[in-house]
């Protein structure tokens, strides 16, 4: 099988590509390198450019005529940035995705897996959700994912393409073989900021301590990125049988971890504990949620293998080699 991965030179897309290779699936990478890294596409069929570039997408399919499916990972993903620049986020995530699916239809692509987000859910008092929970995205980033899901569903209802949306919870870790990881030296999510604080010997800021969680800090479902990648491989292998049954599957561990608990897990892994200070919420931040669904297990035969501590350990291992693996 050959699969086109948009955004395949980014953190998640490149990890999915590695998992595909390990499973005997050939990835073809399409990435503009706005946030992706050329190094992550080395040794793989790679096309540099925008998903909205119809001529380029046509070229990819002309040169790779045996592509059987597309995994659409290309997107901007930083919540505070989306609050500051909603126009840029809607253009990159929605407008270009519409152009992209139109190009896929023209080239006869009938299978697409969409990288969606659990941030689109409205959460209840217990902070758990499943695939039937109501949607209530709280940031421009999250709304772009919800809009894309609805847009793809409308298109799939009348055009010859099936779309499966995988709603990610909170990816951590790196490829355990250290082929890829977070390309940013200072990522904006909690674990990335924790690693930065640890490396610099400064306290870690817990942003938001007044949520209705068990300890007041935000709660997340931290899932190892390699487990996410394995779920994509399973979805590719079972796509045709899934397409008639479901259009949305949650990818999470089923366990909620607060930010304070993440700090505790981090301190169990490192030699020197990181200290914490409390700070105000960031723009667009929400209390968070975790999945209560086992649909991924029932339909994909998938369960996460890696613990939070292993995800933290792999993140630290990648941070130690990142600069030697990436040119600049």
């Amino acid at each position: 099988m050959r699969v086109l991965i948009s955004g395949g030179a980014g953190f998640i897309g490149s990890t999915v590509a590695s998992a595909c290779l390990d499973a005997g699936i050939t990835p073809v990478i399409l990435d503009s390198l706005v946030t992706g890294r050329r190094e992550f596409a080395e040794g793989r069929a790679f096309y540099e450019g925008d998903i909205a570039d119809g001529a380029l997408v046509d070229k990819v399919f002309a040169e790779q005529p045996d592509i059987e499916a597309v995994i659409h990972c290309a997107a901007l993903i930083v919540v505070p940035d989306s609050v500051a620049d909603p126009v840029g986020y809607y253009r990159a995530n929605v407008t270009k995705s519409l152009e992209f699916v139109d190009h896929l239809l023209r080239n006869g692509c009938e299978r697409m897996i969409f990288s969606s987000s659990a941030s689109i859910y409205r959460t209840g008092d217990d902070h758990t959700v499943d695939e039937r929970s109501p949607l209530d995205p709280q940031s421009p980033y999250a709304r772009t994912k919800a809009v894309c899901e609805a847009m793809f569903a409308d298109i799939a209802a009348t055009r010859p393409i099936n779309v499966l949306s995988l709603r990610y919870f909170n990816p951590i870790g790196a490829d355990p073989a250290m082929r890829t990881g977070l390309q940013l030296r200072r990522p904006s999510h909690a674990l990335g900021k924790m690693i930065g604080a640890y490396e610099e010997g400064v306290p870690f800021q817990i942003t938001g301590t007044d949520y209705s969680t068990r300890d007041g800090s935000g709660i997340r479902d931290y899932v190892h990125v390699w487990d996410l990648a394995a779920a994509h491989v399973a979805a590719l292998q079972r796509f045709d049988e899934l397409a008639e049954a479901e259009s949305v599957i949650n990818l999470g561990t089923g366990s909620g971890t607060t930010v304070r608990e993440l700090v505790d897990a981090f301190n169990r892994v490192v030699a020197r504990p990181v200290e914490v200070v409390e700070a105000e919420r960031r723009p667009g931040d929400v209390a968070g949620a975790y999945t209560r669904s086992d649909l991924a297990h029932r339909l994909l035969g998938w369960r996460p293998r890696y613990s939070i501590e292993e995800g933290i350990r792999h993140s630290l291992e990648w941070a130690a080699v990142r600069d030697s693996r990436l040119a600049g």
Side-chain angles (χ1 to χ4, degrees):
M1 174 185 279
R2 191 176 299 267
V3 59
L4 174 62
I5 305 177
S6 71
F11 170 45
I12 293 175
S14 65
T15 309
V16 170
S18 293
C20 285
L21 279 170
D22 291 355
I25 299 168
T26 302
V28 177
I29 307 305
L30 172 61
D31 200 297
S32 64
L33 301 183
V34 170
T35 59
R37 297 294 307 214
R38 189 179 303 277
E39 297 92 334
F40 290 168
E42 288 178 0
R44 303 165 186 186
F46 173 51
Y47 295 83
E48 181 180 350
D50 200 286
I51 59 173
D53 184 341
L56 177 59
V57 175
D58 291 346
K59 178 182 178 182
V60 172
F61 278 89
E63 295 181 356
Q64 311 283 342
D66 52 349
I67 289 173
E68 296 183 38
V70 170
I71 299 175
H72 180 25
C73 294
L76 300 178
I77 63 170
V78 180
V79 169
D81 289 354
S82 77
V83 175
D85 182 22
V87 171
Y89 266 67
Y90 276 99
R91 179 179 294 118
N93 293 0
V94 177
T95 304
K96 291 186 177 184
S97 288
L98 177 59
E99 294 296 319
F100 184 50
V101 75
D102 191 33
H103 304 327
L104 298 182
L105 288 165
R106 184 174 62 251
N107 283 282
C109 176
E110 297 181 352
R111 303 175 184 90
M112 185 171 80
I113 295 172
F114 174 53
S115 298
S116 192
S117 170
S119 64
I120 69 177
Y121 284 118
R122 177 190 303 162
T123 60
D125 293 339
D126 64 355
H127 300 288
T128 67
V129 295
D130 62 26
E131 287 82 358
R132 301 295 175 255
S133 295
L135 307 184
D136 186 21
Q138 294 294 302
S139 69
Y141 159 71
R143 281 187 282 275
T144 66
K145 291 296 186 179
V147 168
C148 279
E149 279 199 18
M151 177 175 74
F152 293 146
D154 287 341
I155 293 168
T158 59
R159 302 296 296 276
I161 189 169
N162 289 315
V163 182
L164 174 64
S165 294
L166 299 180
R167 291 176 179 165
Y168 307 164
F169 282 75
N170 295 79
I172 60 172
D175 175 358
M178 294 295 120
R179 288 168 289 189
T180 58
L182 275 168
Q183 63 270 49
L184 300 175
R185 184 176 285 107
R186 290 291 178 262
S188 61
H189 60 63
L191 181 56
K193 287 185 172 294
M194 207 174 294
I195 292 173
Y198 176 77
E199 291 175 340
E200 295 170 15
V202 299
F204 165 71
Q205 284 193 344
I206 298 179
T207 51
T209 59
D210 59 347
Y211 294 111
S212 59
T213 60
R214 52 183 168 263
D215 61 20
S217 63
I219 194 165
R220 302 289 186 269
D221 190 333
Y222 293 103
V223 57
H224 198 293
V225 68
W226 190 253
D227 284 326
L228 283 182
H232 286 74
V233 171
L236 285 171
Q237 294 169 334
R238 303 187 183 200
F239 189 93
D240 289 338
E241 61 191 83
L242 286 172
E244 299 300 322
E246 292 292 337
S247 60
V248 172
I249 299 176
N250 285 349
L251 295 182
T253 66
S255 296
T257 302
T258 69
V259 178
R260 295 187 193 277
E261 290 165 349
L262 183 66
V263 173
D264 291 340
F266 185 88
N267 286 338
R268 288 195 294 270
V269 171
V270 296
R272 163 178 50 84
V274 67
E275 297 180 0
V276 301
V277 294
E278 298 181 358
E280 297 296 318
R281 303 181 190 184
R282 301 175 305 172
D285 276 353
V286 295
Y290 58 100
T291 186
R292 62 174 176 263
S293 168
D294 66 349
L295 193 63
H297 175 63
R298 289 190 278 118
L299 295 184
L300 302 180
W302 174 86
R303 287 195 192 278
R305 294 172 46 204
Y306 290 98
S307 68
I308 288 180
E309 286 82 1
E310 287 170 311
I312 292 168
R313 189 173 294 110
H314 287 147
S315 294
L316 288 163
E317 289 175 9
W318 171 256
V321 302
R322 176 201 171 279
D323 288 350
S324 66
R325 302 288 172 88
L326 303 182

